[in-house]
Amino acid sequence: MKKLSIALLLVVSLTLAACGGEAATTAPSTDNGAATSAPSTGGGSSTLTIDAAAGGTLAFAATAAETTAGEVTVTFNNPGALAHNLVIVKPGEEQAAVDASMASAPDFLPPADKSLGHSKTIAAGASDTFTVSLQPGTYSFICTYPAHYAAGMKGTLTVK
Ligand SMILES: [Cu+2]
């Protein structure tokens, strides 16, 4: 009788082990599913900071800027005394962006197809951050607020 109960115990414990084994193999498969569905957004991302000129000058603090290609997080600071914006365009498309901005008072920002990306129009002392996807090349950064581009509020952005 003692041998029989040991045998039963063995069967019971083997069955439990088998159940445990099944549970163990099921769990990792769901974990794997979660891991592969998670987005893996690699790639380069860089930052760029451009400031408007201080005071009432219709200009940027620097007329040249540089960043690396990819998703660029651009911070535009306005330490000046007037409202400004920062608009990134391809060379030769500056005036078209300025002209198209005239229709969107009071912000005077270009429509989506007239720029590669832009900040909001911000008051004196404010800052704004936006992202833009840029390939290597040369671009222009301008302010499309009325009369500012014509007065010289522009610069060259080199993307490497
Ligand atoms: Cu401006």
Side-chain angles (χ1 to χ4, degrees):
M1 282 303 265
K2 217 170 187 185
K3 270 190 177 173
L4 185 68
S5 40
I6 287 169
L8 270 169
L9 270 175
L10 270 173
V11 169
V12 168
S13 54
L14 280 174
T15 310
L16 283 172
C19 283
E22 272 174 42
T25 49
T26 311
S29 67
T30 49
D31 284 352
N32 288 344
T36 48
S37 65
S40 58
T41 48
S45 65
S46 45
T47 58
L48 172 67
T49 299
I50 294 177
D51 294 354
T57 310
L58 300 181
F60 290 101
T63 55
E66 192 176 297
T67 190
T68 49
E71 199 76 8
V72 183
T73 301
V74 185
T75 299
F76 174 50
N77 301 308
N78 181 8
L82 304 164
H84 293 296
N85 61 42
L86 170 65
V87 177
I88 298 174
V89 297
K90 291 176 187 166
E93 298 184 0
E94 298 90 349
Q95 193 60 54
V98 169
D99 292 346
S101 301
M102 290 305 121
S104 69
D107 288 333
F108 301 102
L109 286 166
D113 64 335
K114 294 293 182 189
S115 86
L116 299 170
H118 60 77
S119 72
K120 295 173 190 152
T121 295
I122 55 174
S127 294
D128 188 38
T129 299
F130 63 101
T131 58
V132 58
S133 186
L134 294 170
Q135 295 181 338
T138 303
Y139 303 86
S140 292
F141 60 92
I142 64 175
C143 174
T144 58
Y145 204 84
H148 290 201
Y149 170 70
M153 195 158 184
K154 57 192 168 186
T156 302
L157 172 62
T158 304
V159 180
K160 290 184 174 174

